[in-house]
Amino acid sequence: MLVSRLFRIVAGVETTAQELSIPAEKSATGNRRRTAESAIRAFFGSNALVAIIVLTLITIFLFREGSGFFSQNLANLRLYRQAGLEYVDIIRTEAEKQTALSRQLGDIRLQQMRAGADQAALEKFDQFANKFSDTGEQLNGLLSDATDQAQALRETMLQLGSHAGASVIESESQDEASAAAAAPAGNEAEQMAALRSATDKFAQIADSMKAQINELLAAPPALTSAKERKAFAKWKAEAEAYLKQLPAVVEKLRAWDPNKPVPAYRAITSFLFGTQWITASFWQDWYGIIPLFVGSLMVSVVALLIAVPLGVCGAIYVSEVASPIEKSLIKPYIEFISAIPSVVLGFFGIAVLGETIRAISRASFMQWVPFFPISERLNVFTAGCLLALMAVPTIFTLAEDALRNVPRGFKEASYALGANRLQTIVRVLVPASLSGIVSAVLLGLGRVIGETMVVLLCAGNRIAIPDFTQGLGAFFQPVHTMTGIIAQEMGEVVRGSIHYRALFMVGLVLFAITLAINYGAQKLVMRYRMSIG
């Protein structure tokens, strides 16, 4: 009995020891698990924090470098007025209108030649056109003199720093300031008075032009075809309108005041709504984003018009129609397009696509198109076609995911009600996945509008708003884009100059546009997921 009692005591001790060791092992396991989870959290959390910090620093850098643009632009606009450049540009506008009217006469003469007019009729028309062109000689001479006077006054003001914001302009225009230092400082009031004397001269020239042009219009040249007569009648109406507004221009010159303050908001509106982007000009630099925005928008529109049908229809086919073998072939090849470098696509556009489009426009069977043949192989349409090729994989992949995530019960219910495959796709699957498809299109737009290399190589890089009077022909004209201008000019500008900061402002506008597009896409994705859930 003693032995059995000892055995029970020993067994109880062992049992107690085992029971005590189990919580210790569980505690150690829990500690190791918590340590692993902490390490995982620290690893991924630190990387996420680094990404947030980098994006924040980039945003702060963009705002810091671009924020000084508006103060510099305001000083630039004030100098433009106080130095009389604005005054001279009023005269320049009228001289350019007269030159444009002379150019229109040249176009009418070209129509005469194509219509087979005889030599005598062409000579009479040439005499009429030459006399009209000669009426602008005095105006062009006045413009040349006024330009020289305004430049001299501008250099004097830069040298003396007497205009508002002179320190800002001088800090970024050291070359101009050094040139001005070589010129003798004159009396600003005397220089301005000499410049303003052009008003009376302009009034006299305007009266002379009016008399000469009215005399020419009283004896117009004889034109044979109805098309030429219609074009000349339109030109005559424009010439008469030009003469009628000359007295108002004289009054505008007399009312012009160099001391009139330039409101601060002009620095913003001239950038956001300006239609000129002119840099390194001997006269006046302008930083208007409208031509760049219009170019980016037109290229994006062409790209989406091509990419959306291809991407969405391809996604519908692969998701609902294609066999497994076709899926294994089509999907990888479409997604492989995104691996093609954009510079390779740009070279393809220059060497192949642009030349092909221009050759087709010159073919005889395309002569019925009003704006064909085209002279530029690098234009909106060429760049848009290549960007469409780059956007198709994005739209295709996301649209296919949206279609595949539609609950299977929707399709089965449609078939149970007697609908065929096409009806099921059009009336059930596409509406159910519409939010996902729209988000795919928006992300494709973000991909397109942020592309640089293709548009830089294939869009033509002409900083001008296309001529929309040609209708669809505007899409076959060269343009420049916001991304292209940054890539082209950033390496050439002086750090801290107004041009440098203007490019950063373009980048901020592009950043805001892409942010808005991606935000809209994310909102649609969330709405789509909620509707599916």
Side-chain angles (χ1 to χ4, degrees), residues 246-452:
L246 286 177
V249 176
V250 175
E251 295 301 321
K252 184 177 181 180
L253 290 172
R254 287 174 178 163
W256 179 82
D257 182 10
N259 298 318
K260 184 179 179 180
V262 178
Y265 68 83
R266 280 285 308 279
I268 301 175
T269 57
S270 64
F271 173 75
L272 295 178
F273 306 108
T275 58
Q276 291 181 302
W277 183 279
I278 301 174
T279 60
S281 172
F282 78 97
W283 183 249
Q284 175 72 11
D285 291 346
W286 295 103
Y287 302 96
I289 200 174
I290 290 297
L292 308 176
F293 176 76
V294 170
S296 297
L297 182 63
M298 292 179 67
V299 171
S300 301
V301 167
V302 172
L304 289 183
L305 287 176
I306 299 173
V308 170
L310 293 178
V312 174
C313 293
I316 292 173
Y317 181 79
V318 170
S319 176
E320 303 299 329
V321 180
S323 64
I325 297 177
E326 289 175 324
K327 290 180 181 180
S328 64
L329 292 175
I330 296 174
K331 187 174 180 179
Y333 276 102
I334 292 179
E335 293 177 347
F336 175 75
I337 297 175
S338 60
I340 301 176
S342 58
V343 67
V344 174
L345 290 176
F347 282 135
F348 174 79
I350 294 174
V352 180
L353 184 60
E355 289 289 348
T356 302
I357 293 173
R358 185 165 63 176
I360 292 174
S361 71
R362 294 178 177 178
S364 58
F365 62 86
M366 296 297 294
Q367 295 303 313
W368 58 273
V369 181
F371 48 85
F372 277 178
I374 60 174
S375 58
E376 301 285 349
R377 60 173 180 166
L378 305 179
N379 49 53
V380 173
F381 187 76
T382 303
C385 290
L386 294 173
L387 288 181
L389 189 63
M390 300 179 67
V392 164
T394 301
I395 297 174
F396 169 82
T397 302
L398 296 175
E400 188 203 4
D401 290 340
L403 289 165
R404 193 171 56 247
N405 288 330
V406 175
R408 186 176 182 84
F410 288 15
K411 186 193 304 185
E412 293 175 350
S414 177
Y415 287 142
L417 292 174
N420 57 31
R421 176 179 288 176
L422 181 61
Q423 290 172 332
T424 301
I425 291 173
V426 174
R427 298 186 179 182
V428 177
L429 296 180
V430 172
S433 60
L434 188 59
S435 297
I437 293 174
V438 172
S439 67
V441 173
L442 289 178
L443 290 174
L445 174 60
R447 173 77 173 88
V448 164
I449 203 168
E451 176 56 38
T452 301

